[in-house]
């Protein structure tokens, strides 16, 4: 709670943007078309990289990410146990399965 005369307080405009949820993939893995470990593979994603998370399953077993496969932008599914979720802003990740 601020108290006192605040008329001469500088207005600080925040810089930067909120960090979106990311998935750090530990090793090369197949990006799936559906939220299933046996779903059709779209391509193999390179490990040791982060991918933007755009959704998750209700059971939290898989995340949907944006990636690039053979030069084309795609969205697909990765098993959560194949990497780590990074969400420093603690944004809600929508259930999209």
């Amino acid at each position: 709670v601020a108290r006192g005369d605040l008329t001469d307080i500088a207005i600080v405009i925040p810089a930067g943007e909120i960090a979106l949820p990311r998935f750090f993939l530990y090793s090369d893995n197949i990006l799936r078309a559906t939220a299933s470990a046996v779903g059709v593979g779209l391509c193999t994603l390179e490990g040791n990289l982060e991918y933007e998370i755009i959704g998750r399953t209700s059971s939290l077993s898989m995340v949907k990410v944006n990636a690039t496969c053979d030069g084309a932008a795609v969205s697909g599914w990765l098993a959560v146990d194949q990497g780590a979720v990074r969400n420093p802003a603690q944004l809600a990740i929508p259930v999209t399965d």
Side-chain angles (χ1 to χ4, degrees):
V1 175
R3 295 192 174 126
D5 182 7
L6 303 176
T7 56
D8 292 328
I9 299 295
I11 297 174
V12 178
I13 298 174
E17 52 189 66
I18 294 174
L20 298 175
R22 312 284 290 175
F23 186 72
F24 180 80
L25 186 61
Y26 295 143
S27 60
D28 294 1
N29 209 292
I30 297 172
L31 182 67
R32 304 282 177 185
T34 59
S36 168
V38 294
V40 174
L42 298 173
C43 66
T44 299
L45 292 184
E46 188 176 344
N48 284 331
L49 293 176
E50 288 187 344
Y51 299 92
E52 177 189 4
I53 297 174
I54 58 171
R56 66 175 177 88
T57 58
S58 57
S59 64
L60 298 173
S61 62
M62 299 191 82
V63 289
K64 189 172 188 180
V65 300
N66 283 332
T68 303
C69 289
D70 301 321
V74 295
S75 297
W77 295 89
L78 293 167
V80 170
D81 62 359
Q82 298 300 312
V85 173
R86 294 184 174 169
N87 192 2
Q90 298 181 355
L91 298 175
I93 300 171
V95 175
T96 57
D97 65 339

